[in-house]
Amino acid sequence: MKIRILTLGLCLVTVAAFGQANPKLKDLNYFVGTFQCTGTSFASPMGPEHPTKATVTAAWILGGTWLEAHYKEAKTAKNPTPFELRAFWGYDEEPKSIVAGTVDSMGGYSTATAAWDGDKLTFTGPMHAGGMTANSRDVFTKVSKDEFRHEGEMEDKGAWIKIDEETCKR
């Protein structure tokens, strides 16, 4: 019995250490923590333009193999239906890239692959919401150790339109 417990403990420690130590995930450590965000949700098929205030919290889960980010907007007079989402970022050996799965408070979901280009992390993939599917792109740009910018876009009739943008600070 002690051997089984010791073996299980060793396996759990190994799995936890892999996620944080995996060089393919280490750059995501930048996003761990809590950020306060301000920005704009632009007029789009998703709704009218309005300012946004949100909190983002991100932490390693499932033994360090996934980074979970929780984005939650504040309800205001100009944003009576705040948006909320959960994103899960990890690494997939087949496409050899960072991958994401996201679900949101409007019943939407998306999957994406990502790549770093300098200080920019760009996710691209299909977004499903309200009975439609569109290509989407999310760009996260490191501004400093305590600040990043996010820009969300979707493809509409062959053109990319900006859905939202925000600046997030620790």
Side-chain angles (χ1 to χ4, degrees):
M1 183 67 156
K2 286 183 183 180
I3 299 269
R4 285 184 186 167
I5 292 172
L6 181 60
T7 302
L8 177 61
L10 182 59
C11 287
L12 290 173
V13 168
T14 302
V15 169
F18 174 77
Q20 302 265 340
N22 182 347
K24 296 165 184 152
L25 294 175
K26 70 176 178 158
D27 290 337
L28 297 181
N29 278 327
Y30 171 81
F31 297 101
V32 172
T34 300
F35 294 84
Q36 300 303 314
C37 306
T38 57
T40 303
S41 180
F42 297 104
S44 73
M46 310 289 276
E49 184 170 321
H50 60 272
T52 59
K53 284 187 168 193
T55 299
V56 176
T57 55
W60 289 105
I61 63 167
L62 300 174
T65 57
W66 292 94
L67 181 68
E68 178 185 20
H70 181 197
Y71 173 89
K72 185 174 183 176
E73 291 179 352
K75 185 175 185 175
T76 66
K78 292 183 180 181
N79 187 12
T81 310
F83 187 70
E84 185 173 355
L85 68 78
R86 300 270 176 147
F88 302 91
W89 298 354
Y91 187 83
D92 187 341
E93 290 292 339
E94 185 182 335
K96 297 199 179 309
S97 74
I98 296 169
V99 294
T102 305
V103 292
D104 68 47
S105 59
M106 299 174 81
Y109 69 96
S110 64
T111 57
T113 58
W116 284 99
D117 181 11
D119 285 341
K120 289 186 179 183
L121 178 62
T122 302
F123 288 90
T124 307
M127 170 181 64
H128 310 273
M132 67 166 208
T133 299
N135 288 324
S136 67
R137 183 166 50 202
D138 287 282
V139 179
F140 296 86
T141 304
K142 293 181 185 180
V143 175
S144 71
K145 69 180 184 75
D146 293 320
E147 180 179 343
F148 69 85
R149 279 191 318 270
H150 167 260
E151 296 175 317
E153 300 174 306
M154 67 181 272
E155 192 174 20
D156 185 31
K157 299 175 187 161
W160 287 98
I161 59 169
K162 195 178 282 191
I163 298 172
D164 59 13
E165 69 181 8
E166 52 267 320
T167 298
C168 302
K169 299 177 182 181
R170 283 190 212 277

